[in-house]
Amino acid sequence: TGLEFTRLNVPSDADNRIPFVPDANGQPTTIGDAATNEIDVIDPDYRYPQLIRGNVAYDRDIFGGLAATAELLFSTVLKDIAYQNLNLEPIGTRPEGRPLFQRANPELSDVILITNTDEGENYNVAFKLERPFRGGWFGSGSYTYGYARSINDGTSSQAASNWGFLYVPGDPNNAPLARSNYEVRHRINLSGSYRFDLRRVGVTASAFYNGQNGRPFSSTFTRDVNGDTRTSNDQLYIPARGDEVIFTNGTFDDLMSYVALAELEDYVGQIVPRNASFTAWSHAVDFKLLFDVPLGDRRRIELHFDVSNIGNLFSSDSGVIRNAGGNQQLLPVQFDGIDEATGKMIYNLDPLSAEPFTVDDLRSRWRGQFGVRYRF
């Protein structure tokens, strides 16, 4: 309702600090110029998310004792979540065509409406070849192609952040259908094992390889461009010419270097769509060695040693996974407003980094475990 809390705003350089008042009913309510807390409302026609999902698959034995599988998994949205801020009104456009907003009621901060969208779809196509275990050998290989589009992936825990953290090309209340945060475009899996006897001990060596696209990420501005009071949620506009905007702390060529890094060449002269880029492919091999020691009378001991991402055990550059920050975004340009003399946008490239990606420290490491199992 916006009435449960009072928000106080005191600049960090202010001499007047919020005083401590021991009386719970006498707390200060007038310090600073902060607006009220957000008000959250629900569309009376809101429905819980609904979708239609199905799959079809075909298996067949082919030459050489191989088994082949083809499968399609698909879903389409009937109802999914969508958020709007009812306290925004349009007041114009930016030079690149992005709409500009302001608060309709300056005494309120956000009035967030949760409602529905009927847009969204995804499908996965998978192909697999498998050699069933025979003569001590087993082998399998598969390829999956994924496609996923959504309006809002609902990645946060509050209405205001689900609305405000959604990267948008313009109107934050009318986000277009775009690539989902969870799309895995290409994925390749290979696995194999070999079992042999070493005297009375059965030995099985197996390996599993996973190679896939990195995670999708967005390219956005730092600072608020469209006036919705949210920073870092406005998708980057790539100028078609160097004189279209004013550059500080860098040049048009520097920006084009980032465009090449993020593979955004198709969007020059446009606002970049959400999740238009992918981080680098990742490759990892897991290895397992199992010793089966019989003890007689159906009793035996199994000793196994497992290493995940075994390549990283021998080279620190192997099996590395890179991310585009914690929010699946890179911020190559700081928006420094509009130049009064020319009316052009000011691009501050100070945040631009030659290596903007971060290493996922935990998942990029090798991990090993040793286990013992007694079977009877």
Side-chain angles (χ1 to χ4, degrees), residues 284-304:
V285 176
D286 300 335
F287 178 77
K288 182 183 184 75
L289 194 61
L290 173 68
F291 297 92
D292 189 348
V293 184
L295 301 178
D297 299 330
R298 297 183 180 179
R299 293 177 295 123
R300 64 183 186 272
I301 291 179
E302 291 181 352
L303 309 174
H304 62 88

PDB file of all heavy atoms in Angstrom, residues 284-304:
ATOM      1  N   ALA A 284      34.322 -28.897 -20.703  1.00  0.00           N
ATOM      2  CA  ALA A 284      34.744 -29.579 -19.482  1.00  0.00           C
ATOM      3  C   ALA A 284      34.626 -31.082 -19.671  1.00  0.00           C
ATOM      4  O   ALA A 284      33.696 -31.576 -20.329  1.00  0.00           O
ATOM      5  CB  ALA A 284      33.913 -29.127 -18.291  1.00  0.00           C
ATOM      6  N   VAL A 285      35.574 -31.814 -19.087  1.00  0.00           N
ATOM      7  CA  VAL A 285      35.581 -33.276 -19.119  1.00  0.00           C
ATOM      8  C   VAL A 285      35.598 -33.783 -17.686  1.00  0.00           C
ATOM      9  O   VAL A 285      36.434 -33.356 -16.871  1.00  0.00           O
ATOM     10  CB  VAL A 285      36.797 -33.823 -19.882  1.00  0.00           C
ATOM     11  CG1 VAL A 285      36.827 -35.357 -19.807  1.00  0.00           C
ATOM     12  CG2 VAL A 285      36.769 -33.368 -21.337  1.00  0.00           C
ATOM     13  N   ASP A 286      34.659 -34.667 -17.371  1.00  0.00           N
ATOM     14  CA  ASP A 286      34.630 -35.332 -16.069  1.00  0.00           C
ATOM     15  C   ASP A 286      35.122 -36.762 -16.252  1.00  0.00           C
ATOM     16  O   ASP A 286      34.786 -37.432 -17.243  1.00  0.00           O
ATOM     17  CB  ASP A 286      33.214 -35.343 -15.497  1.00  0.00           C
ATOM     18  CG  ASP A 286      32.656 -33.945 -15.304  1.00  0.00           C
ATOM     19  OD1 ASP A 286      33.456 -33.004 -15.157  1.00  0.00           O
ATOM     20  OD2 ASP A 286      31.418 -33.806 -15.293  1.00  0.00           O
ATOM     21  N   PHE A 287      35.883 -37.246 -15.279  1.00  0.00           N
ATOM     22  CA  PHE A 287      36.493 -38.577 -15.389  1.00  0.00           C
ATOM     23  C   PHE A 287      36.175 -39.379 -14.138  1.00  0.00           C
ATOM     24  O   PHE A 287      36.164 -38.848 -13.024  1.00  0.00           O
ATOM     25  CB  PHE A 287      38.008 -38.451 -15.558  1.00  0.00           C
ATOM     26  CG  PHE A 287      38.730 -39.765 -15.625  1.00  0.00           C
ATOM     27  CD1 PHE A 287      38.706 -40.536 -16.777  1.00  0.00           C
ATOM     28  CD2 PHE A 287      39.417 -40.251 -14.523  1.00  0.00           C
ATOM     29  CE1 PHE A 287      39.358 -41.757 -16.844  1.00  0.00           C
ATOM     30  CE2 PHE A 287      40.082 -41.474 -14.570  1.00  0.00           C
ATOM     31  CZ  PHE A 287      40.055 -42.226 -15.732  1.00  0.00           C
ATOM     32  N   LYS A 288      35.942 -40.672 -14.338  1.00  0.00           N
ATOM     33  CA  LYS A 288      35.634 -41.566 -13.212  1.00  0.00           C
ATOM     34  C   LYS A 288      36.398 -42.876 -13.385  1.00  0.00           C
ATOM     35  O   LYS A 288      36.437 -43.441 -14.486  1.00  0.00           O
ATOM     36  CB  LYS A 288      34.138 -41.856 -13.142  1.00  0.00           C
ATOM     37  CG  LYS A 288      33.703 -42.741 -11.975  1.00  0.00           C
ATOM     38  CD  LYS A 288      32.213 -43.010 -12.058  1.00  0.00           C
ATOM     39  CE  LYS A 288      31.722 -43.799 -10.852  1.00  0.00           C
ATOM     40  NZ  LYS A 288      31.643 -42.953  -9.645  1.00  0.00           N
ATOM     41  N   LEU A 289      36.995 -43.348 -12.294  1.00  0.00           N
ATOM     42  CA  LEU A 289      37.693 -44.635 -12.270  1.00  0.00           C
ATOM     43  C   LEU A 289      37.097 -45.455 -11.145  1.00  0.00           C
ATOM     44  O   LEU A 289      37.083 -45.023  -9.979  1.00  0.00           O
ATOM     45  CB  LEU A 289      39.186 -44.422 -12.054  1.00  0.00           C
ATOM     46  CG  LEU A 289      40.104 -45.621 -12.318  1.00  0.00           C
ATOM     47  CD1 LEU A 289      39.999 -46.074 -13.782  1.00  0.00           C
ATOM     48  CD2 LEU A 289      41.548 -45.262 -11.976  1.00  0.00           C
ATOM     49  N   LEU A 290      36.581 -46.663 -11.472  1.00  0.00           N
ATOM     50  CA  LEU A 290      35.881 -47.504 -10.506  1.00  0.00           C
ATOM     51  C   LEU A 290      36.563 -48.857 -10.416  1.00  0.00           C
ATOM     52  O   LEU A 290      36.833 -49.502 -11.437  1.00  0.00           O
ATOM     53  CB  LEU A 290      34.419 -47.681 -10.934  1.00  0.00           C
ATOM     54  CG  LEU A 290      33.564 -48.660 -10.129  1.00  0.00           C
ATOM     55  CD1 LEU A 290      33.337 -48.135  -8.726  1.00  0.00           C
ATOM     56  CD2 LEU A 290      32.225 -48.903 -10.836  1.00  0.00           C
ATOM     57  N   PHE A 291      36.838 -49.292  -9.192  1.00  0.00           N
ATOM     58  CA  PHE A 291      37.413 -50.612  -8.927  1.00  0.00           C
ATOM     59  C   PHE A 291      36.379 -51.428  -8.173  1.00  0.00           C
ATOM     60  O   PHE A 291      35.909 -51.018  -7.105  1.00  0.00           O
ATOM     61  CB  PHE A 291      38.695 -50.503  -8.096  1.00  0.00           C
ATOM     62  CG  PHE A 291      39.798 -49.756  -8.771  1.00  0.00           C
ATOM     63  CD1 PHE A 291      39.947 -48.391  -8.575  1.00  0.00           C
ATOM     64  CD2 PHE A 291      40.690 -50.420  -9.614  1.00  0.00           C
ATOM     65  CE1 PHE A 291      40.962 -47.695  -9.201  1.00  0.00           C
ATOM     66  CE2 PHE A 291      41.711 -49.723 -10.240  1.00  0.00           C
ATOM     67  CZ  PHE A 291      41.852 -48.361 -10.036  1.00  0.00           C
ATOM     68  N   ASP A 292      36.048 -52.602  -8.735  1.00  0.00           N
ATOM     69  CA  ASP A 292      35.053 -53.492  -8.148  1.00  0.00           C
ATOM     70  C   ASP A 292      35.787 -54.720  -7.610  1.00  0.00           C
ATOM     71  O   ASP A 292      36.252 -55.569  -8.382  1.00  0.00           O
ATOM     72  CB  ASP A 292      34.031 -53.878  -9.212  1.00  0.00           C
ATOM     73  CG  ASP A 292      32.837 -54.626  -8.654  1.00  0.00           C
ATOM     74  OD1 ASP A 292      32.892 -55.046  -7.487  1.00  0.00           O
ATOM     75  OD2 ASP A 292      31.845 -54.786  -9.386  1.00  0.00           O
ATOM     76  N   VAL A 293      35.893 -54.809  -6.280  1.00  0.00           N
ATOM     77  CA  VAL A 293      36.673 -55.870  -5.637  1.00  0.00           C
ATOM     78  C   VAL A 293      35.717 -56.888  -5.017  1.00  0.00           C
ATOM     79  O   VAL A 293      35.034 -56.577  -4.025  1.00  0.00           O
ATOM     80  CB  VAL A 293      37.599 -55.294  -4.547  1.00  0.00           C
ATOM     81  CG1 VAL A 293      38.466 -56.404  -3.952  1.00  0.00           C
ATOM     82  CG2 VAL A 293      38.457 -54.166  -5.111  1.00  0.00           C
ATOM     83  N   PRO A 294      35.608 -58.126  -5.565  1.00  0.00           N
ATOM     84  CA  PRO A 294      34.694 -59.127  -4.994  1.00  0.00           C
ATOM     85  C   PRO A 294      35.266 -59.708  -3.703  1.00  0.00           C
ATOM     86  O   PRO A 294      36.471 -59.920  -3.562  1.00  0.00           O
ATOM     87  CB  PRO A 294      34.616 -60.176  -6.100  1.00  0.00           C
ATOM     88  CG  PRO A 294      35.888 -60.061  -6.860  1.00  0.00           C
ATOM     89  CD  PRO A 294      36.283 -58.624  -6.789  1.00  0.00           C
ATOM     90  N   LEU A 295      34.363 -59.959  -2.740  1.00  0.00           N
ATOM     91  CA  LEU A 295      34.751 -60.556  -1.460  1.00  0.00           C
ATOM     92  C   LEU A 295      34.108 -61.922  -1.260  1.00  0.00           C
ATOM     93  O   LEU A 295      34.299 -62.539  -0.218  1.00  0.00           O
ATOM     94  CB  LEU A 295      34.337 -59.630  -0.301  1.00  0.00           C
ATOM     95  CG  LEU A 295      34.940 -58.222  -0.314  1.00  0.00           C
ATOM     96  CD1 LEU A 295      34.411 -57.412   0.858  1.00  0.00           C
ATOM     97  CD2 LEU A 295      36.458 -58.289  -0.273  1.00  0.00           C
ATOM     98  N   GLY A 296      33.356 -62.388  -2.237  1.00  0.00           N
ATOM     99  CA  GLY A 296      32.685 -63.671  -2.132  1.00  0.00           C
ATOM    100  C   GLY A 296      31.321 -63.531  -1.499  1.00  0.00           C
ATOM    101  O   GLY A 296      31.018 -62.566  -0.791  1.00  0.00           O
ATOM    102  N   ASP A 297      30.469 -64.552  -1.739  1.00  0.00           N
ATOM    103  CA  ASP A 297      29.116 -64.576  -1.180  1.00  0.00           C
ATOM    104  C   ASP A 297      28.345 -63.288  -1.492  1.00  0.00           C
ATOM    105  O   ASP A 297      27.689 -62.703  -0.630  1.00  0.00           O
ATOM    106  CB  ASP A 297      29.150 -64.787   0.342  1.00  0.00           C
ATOM    107  CG  ASP A 297      29.790 -66.114   0.744  1.00  0.00           C
ATOM    108  OD1 ASP A 297      29.691 -67.077  -0.048  1.00  0.00           O
ATOM    109  OD2 ASP A 297      30.390 -66.165   1.821  1.00  0.00           O
ATOM    110  N   ARG A 298      28.470 -62.826  -2.706  1.00  0.00           N
ATOM    111  CA  ARG A 298      27.755 -61.656  -3.202  1.00  0.00           C
ATOM    112  C   ARG A 298      28.165 -60.355  -2.509  1.00  0.00           C
ATOM    113  O   ARG A 298      27.492 -59.343  -2.632  1.00  0.00           O
ATOM    114  CB  ARG A 298      26.249 -61.835  -3.070  1.00  0.00           C
ATOM    115  CG  ARG A 298      25.694 -62.981  -3.892  1.00  0.00           C
ATOM    116  CD  ARG A 298      24.185 -63.057  -3.768  1.00  0.00           C
ATOM    117  NE  ARG A 298      23.639 -64.148  -4.559  1.00  0.00           N
ATOM    118  CZ  ARG A 298      22.346 -64.454  -4.616  1.00  0.00           C
ATOM    119  NH1 ARG A 298      21.468 -63.723  -3.912  1.00  0.00           N
ATOM    120  NH2 ARG A 298      21.920 -65.460  -5.352  1.00  0.00           N
ATOM    121  N   ARG A 299      29.244 -60.394  -1.812  1.00  0.00           N
ATOM    122  CA  ARG A 299      29.747 -59.179  -1.163  1.00  0.00           C
ATOM    123  C   ARG A 299      30.916 -58.619  -1.964  1.00  0.00           C
ATOM    124  O   ARG A 299      31.718 -59.382  -2.505  1.00  0.00           O
ATOM    125  CB  ARG A 299      30.181 -59.471   0.267  1.00  0.00           C
ATOM    126  CG  ARG A 299      29.034 -59.842   1.185  1.00  0.00           C
ATOM    127  CD  ARG A 299      29.532 -60.198   2.590  1.00  0.00           C
ATOM    128  NE  ARG A 299      30.351 -61.398   2.546  1.00  0.00           N
ATOM    129  CZ  ARG A 299      31.614 -61.462   2.981  1.00  0.00           C
ATOM    130  NH1 ARG A 299      32.197 -60.373   3.461  1.00  0.00           N
ATOM    131  NH2 ARG A 299      32.302 -62.594   2.923  1.00  0.00           N
ATOM    132  N   ARG A 300      30.989 -57.317  -2.012  1.00  0.00           N
ATOM    133  CA  ARG A 300      32.109 -56.702  -2.705  1.00  0.00           C
ATOM    134  C   ARG A 300      32.285 -55.256  -2.233  1.00  0.00           C
ATOM    135  O   ARG A 300      31.373 -54.663  -1.656  1.00  0.00           O
ATOM    136  CB  ARG A 300      31.926 -56.733  -4.222  1.00  0.00           C
ATOM    137  CG  ARG A 300      30.753 -55.950  -4.779  1.00  0.00           C
ATOM    138  CD  ARG A 300      30.684 -56.158  -6.294  1.00  0.00           C
ATOM    139  NE  ARG A 300      29.680 -55.334  -6.926  1.00  0.00           N
ATOM    140  CZ  ARG A 300      28.410 -55.692  -7.084  1.00  0.00           C
ATOM    141  NH1 ARG A 300      27.997 -56.876  -6.623  1.00  0.00           N
ATOM    142  NH2 ARG A 300      27.556 -54.879  -7.684  1.00  0.00           N
ATOM    143  N   ILE A 301      33.450 -54.729  -2.516  1.00  0.00           N
ATOM    144  CA  ILE A 301      33.769 -53.339  -2.208  1.00  0.00           C
ATOM    145  C   ILE A 301      34.013 -52.596  -3.520  1.00  0.00           C
ATOM    146  O   ILE A 301      34.728 -53.091  -4.393  1.00  0.00           O
ATOM    147  CB  ILE A 301      35.007 -53.218  -1.297  1.00  0.00           C
ATOM    148  CG1 ILE A 301      34.681 -53.738   0.106  1.00  0.00           C
ATOM    149  CG2 ILE A 301      35.482 -51.773  -1.200  1.00  0.00           C
ATOM    150  CD1 ILE A 301      35.856 -53.679   1.053  1.00  0.00           C
ATOM    151  N   GLU A 302      33.415 -51.444  -3.632  1.00  0.00           N
ATOM    152  CA  GLU A 302      33.655 -50.589  -4.797  1.00  0.00           C
ATOM    153  C   GLU A 302      34.445 -49.360  -4.354  1.00  0.00           C
ATOM    154  O   GLU A 302      34.055 -48.657  -3.412  1.00  0.00           O
ATOM    155  CB  GLU A 302      32.343 -50.148  -5.435  1.00  0.00           C
ATOM    156  CG  GLU A 302      31.585 -51.277  -6.102  1.00  0.00           C
ATOM    157  CD  GLU A 302      30.291 -50.802  -6.753  1.00  0.00           C
ATOM    158  OE1 GLU A 302      29.914 -49.629  -6.543  1.00  0.00           O
ATOM    159  OE2 GLU A 302      29.667 -51.606  -7.452  1.00  0.00           O
ATOM    160  N   LEU A 303      35.550 -49.132  -5.031  1.00  0.00           N
ATOM    161  CA  LEU A 303      36.364 -47.941  -4.795  1.00  0.00           C
ATOM    162  C   LEU A 303      36.269 -47.063  -6.036  1.00  0.00           C
ATOM    163  O   LEU A 303      36.473 -47.539  -7.159  1.00  0.00           O
ATOM    164  CB  LEU A 303      37.823 -48.325  -4.533  1.00  0.00           C
ATOM    165  CG  LEU A 303      38.081 -49.390  -3.458  1.00  0.00           C
ATOM    166  CD1 LEU A 303      39.561 -49.767  -3.439  1.00  0.00           C
ATOM    167  CD2 LEU A 303      37.641 -48.898  -2.094  1.00  0.00           C
ATOM    168  N   HIS A 304      35.962 -45.798  -5.849  1.00  0.00           N
ATOM    169  CA  HIS A 304      35.849 -44.940  -7.034  1.00  0.00           C
ATOM    170  C   HIS A 304      36.518 -43.596  -6.768  1.00  0.00           C
ATOM    171  O   HIS A 304      36.519 -43.082  -5.648  1.00  0.00           O
ATOM    172  CB  HIS A 304      34.387 -44.744  -7.441  1.00  0.00           C
ATOM    173  CG  HIS A 304      33.529 -44.057  -6.419  1.00  0.00           C
ATOM    174  ND1 HIS A 304      33.403 -42.686  -6.352  1.00  0.00           N
ATOM    175  CD2 HIS A 304      32.754 -44.558  -5.423  1.00  0.00           C
ATOM    176  CE1 HIS A 304      32.588 -42.372  -5.371  1.00  0.00           C
ATOM    177  NE2 HIS A 304      32.173 -43.483  -4.776  1.00  0.00           N
TER     178      HIS A 304
END
